[in-house]
């Protein structure tokens, strides 16, 4: 292994910033249309694997946008092939808003995907519409998001892909009881994030979003998690994973569309040099990654 420091066991690769949804609190916004050529992305993936990465989470933006999902599918396939060449196992994960996920895609690429996480912040169409969690404005698009998420859950079961749910707790949903909807979806993990502000993304100069009206207090976040992380949910096989702002900010290894680590220590994003130019070990040293926080939040689990 090339890294003398703690291996980057789990990495989030935000392969595109583009997204067809309009979430008002987004903290990785569409500032650039750039997407790496597939060969370069796979070269970066190979370097991560050589440095000890065991799980790669492909995210965006919306990762299904480039080439209508073909780019993502081939990236997943190539990741599995790079791991097989080295005789190691690498878990592949995708975080998506779900809007572009089709049964045909899962039929074609489901054997290369271990985990699919879909973001859903409410089971009320009016709340989703107010958040912007849909491609179309209004209640129709929001209701379609709920129904399509349920459809994706069935496809994941059909094609052997673990299903996960991500929820952002904000001023519009912190009082909601989502337990009935979560029990119906039966994700194996439910990540619950406190709405986060990052300068230049959803706050301050140059930001494309303004999340200031969507922030919740620590007490409001705890109220949501207390209401929703119940015995009923857990009895359905769901592992709940609440993460407040302090837990989130430095415990993730984020790669942007150029495969640069994003250091968020000071509440903004500072990009390192690309791992394609300087290697993983050099870039990792500037990433601001809090290994202890990663372990403490349960970042390493049975993948």
């Amino acid at each position: 292994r090339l890294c003398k420091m703690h291996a980057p066991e789990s990495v989030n690769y935000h392969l595109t910033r583009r997204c067809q949804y309009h979430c008002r609190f987004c903290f990785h916004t569409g500032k650039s249309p750039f997407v790496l050529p597939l060969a370069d992305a796979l070269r970066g993936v190979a370097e991560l694997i050589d440095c000890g990465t065991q799980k790669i989470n492909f995210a965006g933006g919306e990762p299904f946008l480039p080439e209508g999902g073909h780019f993502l599918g081939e990236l997943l396939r190539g990741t599995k092939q790079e791991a097989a060449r080295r005789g190691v196992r690498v878990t592949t994960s995708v975080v998506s808003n779900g809007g572009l996920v089709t049964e045909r895609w899962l039929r074609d690429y489901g054997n290369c995907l271990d985990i699919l996480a879909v973001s859903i912040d409410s089971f009320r169409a009016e709340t989703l519409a107010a958040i912007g969690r849909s491609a179309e404005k209004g209640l129709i698009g929001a209701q379609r998001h709920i129904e399509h998420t349920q459809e994706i859950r069935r496809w994941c079961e059909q094609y052997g892909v673990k299903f996960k749910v991500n929820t952002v707790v904000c001023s519009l949903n912190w009082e909601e009881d989502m337990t009935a909807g979560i029990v119906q979806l039966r994700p194996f993990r439910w990540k619950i994030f406190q709405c986060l502000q990052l300068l230049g993304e959803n706050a301050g100069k140059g930001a494309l979003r303004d999340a200031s009206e969507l922030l919740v207090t620590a007490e409001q976040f705890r109220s949501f998690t207390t209401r929703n992380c119940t015995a009923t949910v857990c009895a359905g096989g769901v592992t709940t994973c609440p993460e407040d702002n302090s837990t989130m900010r430095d415990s993730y290894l984020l790669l942007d569309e150029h495969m640069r680590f994003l250091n968020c220590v000071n509440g903004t994003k500072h990009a390192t040099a690309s791992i394609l130019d300087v290697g993983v070990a050099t870039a990792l040293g500037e990433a601001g990654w809090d290994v202890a926080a990663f372990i403490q939040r349960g970042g390493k689990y049975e993948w």
Side-chain angles (χ1 to χ4, degrees), residues 135-147:
E136 309 160 71
K137 294 185 178 180
L139 295 181
I140 294 176
Q143 184 60 38
R144 185 176 289 119
H145 178 76
I146 297 170
E147 293 169 357

Side-chain angles (χ1 to χ4, degrees), residues 209-254:
R209 295 282 193 276
D210 181 2
S212 57
E213 295 182 355
L214 299 175
L215 301 179
V216 291
T217 64
E219 184 178 347
Q220 289 170 328
F221 182 69
R222 282 194 297 271
S223 172
F224 180 92
T225 58
T226 300
R227 187 182 314 111
N228 286 277
C229 299
T230 64
T232 302
V233 170
C234 295
V238 181
T239 298
T240 56
C241 308
E243 296 182 12
D244 61 18
N245 288 172
S246 60
T247 301
M248 291 169 59
R249 187 172 285 116
D250 306 324
S251 66
Y252 285 86
L253 276 176
L254 310 176

Side-chain angles (χ1 to χ4, degrees), residues 18 35-38 63-74 105:
R18 293 176 56 236
V35 178
L36 276 171
L38 181 61
F64 279 87
L65 268 176
E67 301 178 20
H70 178 74
F71 180 90
L72 174 63
E74 293 304 313
W105 188 94

Side-chain angles (χ1 to χ4, degrees), residues 104-125:
R104 178 176 179 177
W105 188 94
L106 279 164
R107 185 172 62 244
D108 291 344
Y109 295 110
N111 63 335
C112 306
L113 177 62
D114 297 301
I115 301 167
L116 177 58
V118 175
S119 300
I120 185 163
D121 311 302
S122 174
F123 291 104
R124 300 170 181 166

Side-chain angles (χ1 to χ4, degrees), residues 21-299:
Y21 274 31
H22 309 283
C23 303
R24 293 166 55 195
F25 46 56
C26 180
F27 59 80
H28 197 71
T29 54
K31 291 189 161 188
S32 166
F34 181 80
V35 178
L36 276 171
L38 181 61
D40 288 343
L42 286 173
R43 179 162 62 90
V45 163
E47 293 199 21
L48 287 169
I49 295 172
D50 286 339
C51 209
T53 298
Q54 300 170 16
K55 175 174 172 281
I56 303 177
N57 189 32
F58 299 93
E62 174 47 51
F64 279 87
L65 268 176
E67 301 178 20
H70 178 74
F71 180 90
L72 174 63
E74 293 304 313
L75 187 54
L76 292 168
R77 178 172 288 155
T79 298
K80 290 295 190 181
Q81 290 171 345
E82 292 292 344
R85 289 191 189 102
R86 290 159 173 78
V88 298
R89 181 180 182 272
V90 172
T91 297
T92 54
S93 173
V94 169
V95 173
S96 170
N97 58 44
L100 299 174
V101 179
T102 65
E103 182 181 4
R104 178 176 179 177
W105 188 94
L106 279 164
R107 185 172 62 244
D108 291 344
Y109 295 110
N111 63 335
C112 306
L113 177 62
D114 297 301
I115 301 167
L116 177 58
V118 175
S119 300
I120 185 163
D121 311 302
S122 174
F123 291 104
R124 300 170 181 166
E126 59 272 22
T127 302
L128 288 180
I131 289 172
R133 182 70 82 180
S134 66
E136 309 160 71
K137 294 185 178 180
L139 295 181
I140 294 176
Q143 184 60 38
R144 185 176 289 119
H145 178 76
I146 297 170
E147 293 169 357
H148 190 53
T149 300
Q150 294 165 340
E151 196 170 32
I152 292 169
R153 175 65 184 94
R154 292 192 292 271
W155 295 336
C156 283
E157 191 162 6
Q158 182 178 350
Y159 294 102
V161 176
K162 289 183 177 180
F163 181 75
K164 180 178 170 184
V165 167
N166 287 354
T167 295
V168 176
V169 179
C170 67
S171 62
L172 298 174
N173 68 350
W174 73 271
E175 295 179 285
E176 184 171 345
D177 184 343
M178 294 179 64
T179 54
I182 293 296
V183 168
Q184 182 182 8
L185 286 175
R186 293 177 295 109
F188 86 105
R189 281 172 78 83
W190 183 19
K191 297 290 286 287
I192 304 170
F193 302 108
Q194 182 182 3
C195 182
L196 176 69
Q197 270 191 315
L198 287 176
L199 292 174
E201 295 285 358
N202 59 12
K205 185 178 180 180
L208 298 184
R209 295 282 193 276
D210 181 2
S212 57
E213 295 182 355
L214 299 175
L215 301 179
V216 291
T217 64
E219 184 178 347
Q220 289 170 328
F221 182 69
R222 282 194 297 271
S223 172
F224 180 92
T225 58
T226 300
R227 187 182 314 111
N228 286 277
C229 299
T230 64
T232 302
V233 170
C234 295
V238 181
T239 298
T240 56
C241 308
E243 296 182 12
D244 61 18
N245 288 172
S246 60
T247 301
M248 291 169 59
R249 187 172 285 116
D250 306 324
S251 66
Y252 285 86
L253 276 176
L254 310 176
L255 284 175
D256 72 2
E257 66 275 18
H258 298 276
M259 285 195 151
R260 303 176 299 193
F261 284 117
L262 296 174
N263 185 324
C264 303
V265 167
N266 295 317
T268 186
K269 290 179 179 176
H270 293 289
T272 68
S274 173
I275 66 171
L276 298 174
D277 297 326
V278 301
V280 175
T282 299
L284 186 60
E286 303 297 325
W289 182 39
D290 187 334
V291 179
F294 163 73
I295 295 170
Q296 187 174 3
R297 71 166 169 82

